[in-house]
Amino acid sequence: MQRRRTTTIAVFSALGMAAVLTGCGVTGGSDEVTLRLVAADYGDNDTNSSRHYWDDLVKQYEAQHPGVKVDVGVYSWKDVDRKVKEMVDAGQAPDMAQIGAYADYADQDLLYRADDVLSIPTQADFVSQLVAAGQVRGVQYGMPFAASTRLLFYNKTLFAKAHITPPKTWAELAADAEALKADGVKYPYALPLGPEEAQAETMQWLLSGGGGYTDTVGTYVIDSAQNVQTFDWLKNELVGKDLTGPVAPGKLNRADAFAAFADGEVGMLNGHPSLMQMAAKKGVKFGMVTMPGVNGPSRSVMGVADWMTAFKKNGHREQIRDFLDFVYSEKNVLDFSRTYDLLPVTTSASATMSASGQDKDLQPFLQQLPLSELYPVGKTSWASVSADLKKRIGTAVDPTGSAASVLGQIQSAAVTADSAQQ
């Protein structure tokens, strides 16, 4: 039998990392290559871990590529970005990493450009909104892997009992929260500004108030008058009137707020698609509407994307390209999106989902994606700004807090971090 060239793609697991890192990326004969991929876990237990998705994808890939071996493992979201950073700092960058941010690595010239590791049809298939968000100084390094938008979820049973309708404005939201509180609802409006994902809840509210993290040219404007007014309203009209529940917003994490909603304890909260499955499993009847704004439904909605990156360190561009083209096939993108209630990152898969009856629950989120605003992930300072925001923003709505002061402190740190990256 003729000897075949063999490519092995290894995806680290937490338990196997040390053993794999002892290698140098080449196994067996001189023509055998090991590609190393670090992937994030989108499941919330062993049963629905992303490990199962990668296992199935690998079986398909191996069947179509004789002589190629793919080993799969994943890290939890709380660990994956840190693990990749540790590997990069140790001079042992993986070939690919599916993580939450990319700009720092691009700025250090550690990443391949997207057009280096994707075929033209694959790169051209990305949703344009996500392509723009994946760029650093006009060059795409971040390849979108998963996306979502946000809607206001409300508990239909609690709303019917309180004789209220879904809000379209901030004033209506506050009035609905008052009615829910009077009915004994534990969290009339859940406001998770805890350290887990405070940047998401914050951005959704800033957008609904006509503001945001940056202006039209990408300059930080965190302490703008609009943003300060938004947080003053939250402090005075929701938190100050005891309409956000027994846990202080700065200590309430998104996962805990979602769990409370699934337990029927929350009247309203901002949520992404995965909350649908959580609530449905526990029998909660829910509805979804566009986030209310000052005078009507918000004209801007928040979008979120996670990123695939390809590191130059080991020089395996052609092998990475072959694998990623398979990963981004329409079938595989749809399989992943449907498994984890996320939005496709390609136009072909988005078109299929938009026309499919089986995806009707995701379509309200999908319709928002082309018009959504994403975090300023293309700014190399965003990682530090986001971390600072998670730490401080909850104090802006504390009884003794000052929105202007807290937002001003975050803005000052953001400008400093941004200047340091110039």
Side-chain angles (χ1 to χ4, degrees):
M1 177 181 292
Q2 183 179 3
R3 186 171 182 269
R4 292 182 178 272
R5 178 186 175 108
T6 301
T7 303
T8 303
I9 302 172
V11 187
F12 295 144
S13 67
L15 294 177
M17 179 180 177
V20 177
L21 287 180
T22 58
C24 59
V26 178
T27 61
S30 61
D31 60 350
E32 295 178 349
V33 176
T34 298
L35 294 182
R36 301 182 295 179
L37 167 66
V38 175
D41 195 351
Y42 289 80
D44 56 12
N45 56 61
D46 287 341
T47 302
N48 66 1
S49 170
S50 298
R51 171 171 43 84
H52 303 301
Y53 169 79
W54 287 108
D55 282 348
D56 290 341
L57 183 143
V58 163
K59 289 178 183 177
Q60 298 169 39
Y61 186 77
E62 289 179 340
Q64 297 176 28
H65 299 77
V68 176
K69 177 177 171 54
V70 183
D71 296 321
V72 179
V74 296
Y75 290 113
S76 70
W77 265 113
K78 67 180 181 179
D79 294 326
V80 67
D81 288 282
R82 174 175 55 82
K83 290 292 186 182
V84 172
K85 185 178 186 302
E86 289 173 353
M87 293 164 65
V88 172
D89 290 347
Q92 297 171 319
D95 293 285
M96 294 168 285
Q98 185 265 298
I99 48 180
Y102 64 86
D104 282 353
Y105 300 129
D107 192 56
Q108 298 171 56
D109 196 29
L110 299 178
L111 301 180
Y112 284 115
R113 297 162 52 119
D115 54 12
D116 287 333
V117 289
L118 294 173
S119 66
I120 292 175
T122 297
Q123 187 177 11
D125 198 25
F126 287 135
V127 174
S128 60
Q129 189 83 351
L130 302 179
V131 171
Q135 296 177 348
V136 174
R137 290 183 282 276
V139 177
Q140 185 183 1
Y141 294 94
M143 294 166 278
F145 184 77
S148 68
T149 56
R150 299 291 195 268
L151 290 171
L152 182 74
F153 282 67
Y154 65 96
N155 184 310
K156 286 185 173 181
T157 301
L158 298 179
F159 266 58
K161 184 180 177 184
H163 305 291
I164 54 178
T165 57
K168 296 180 180 179
T169 67
W170 285 2
E172 291 177 1
L173 186 149
D176 284 350
E178 288 276 14
L180 291 164
K181 178 186 175 184
D183 246 9
V185 175
K186 187 173 182 179
Y187 294 90
Y189 178 85
L191 182 65
L193 296 177
E196 179 193 2
E197 203 185 32
Q199 81 283 2
E201 183 73 11
T202 297
M203 183 171 175
Q204 188 64 68
W205 276 100
L206 297 185
L207 291 174
S208 72
Y213 288 132
T214 59
D215 61 17
T216 56
V217 295
T219 302
Y220 286 117
V221 289
I222 297 169
D223 64 346
S224 69
Q226 289 170 313
N227 292 345
V228 171
Q229 289 169 6
T230 294
F231 266 79
D232 278 341
W233 187 89
L234 285 171
K235 177 184 175 182
N236 296 329
E237 302 301 323
L238 290 185
V239 182
K241 294 182 178 179
D242 197 25
L243 300 178
T244 55
V247 180
K251 296 182 179 179
L252 180 64
N253 283 323
R254 186 265 308 164
D256 296 327
F258 276 22
F261 186 84
D263 287 337
E265 298 177 335
V266 175
M268 299 173 281
L269 83 170
N270 283 314
H272 53 64
S274 67
L275 182 57
M276 295 189 298
Q277 192 175 104
M278 288 180 62
K281 283 181 178 178
K282 292 202 171 183
V284 173
K285 296 180 180 180
F286 61 89
M288 302 176 296
V289 295
T290 300
M291 175 69 181
V294 178
N295 298 311
S298 177
R299 289 177 292 180
S300 298
V301 298
M302 186 185 72
V304 176
D306 301 322
W307 306 95
M308 180 70 77
T309 57
F311 286 84
K312 296 179 179 179
K313 174 70 175 178
N314 302 310
H316 298 148
R317 184 174 69 86
E318 290 301 322
Q319 292 87 354
I320 294 171
R321 179 188 179 106
D322 182 66
F323 183 63
L324 289 182
D325 275 349
F326 182 78
V327 168
Y328 283 108
S329 68
E330 180 181 339
K331 176 186 179 299
N332 289 329
V333 172
L334 280 172
D335 283 349
F336 182 83
S337 301
R338 286 167 171 164
T339 298
Y340 296 103
D341 282 333
L342 292 166
L343 304 183
V345 296
T346 62
T347 55
S348 58
S350 295
T352 298
M353 183 173 280
S354 295
S356 173
Q358 79 177 89
D359 301 307
K360 63 181 181 180
D361 288 343
L362 283 171
Q363 288 168 6
F365 297 94
L366 188 62
Q367 291 166 4
Q368 292 187 326
L369 186 59
L371 303 174
S372 64
E373 292 192 32
L374 284 76
Y375 300 133
V377 290
K379 295 174 74 66
T380 54
S381 57
W382 171 243
S384 65
V385 172
S386 177
D388 188 45
L389 191 146
K390 291 177 184 180
K391 182 169 60 176
R392 298 179 192 251
I393 196 62
T395 62
V397 295
D398 281 349
T400 59
S402 163
S405 176
V406 173
L407 292 176
Q409 292 168 13
I410 298 172
Q411 171 72 12
S412 178
V415 171
T416 300
D418 208 31
S419 298
Q421 300 291 343
Q422 302 301 321

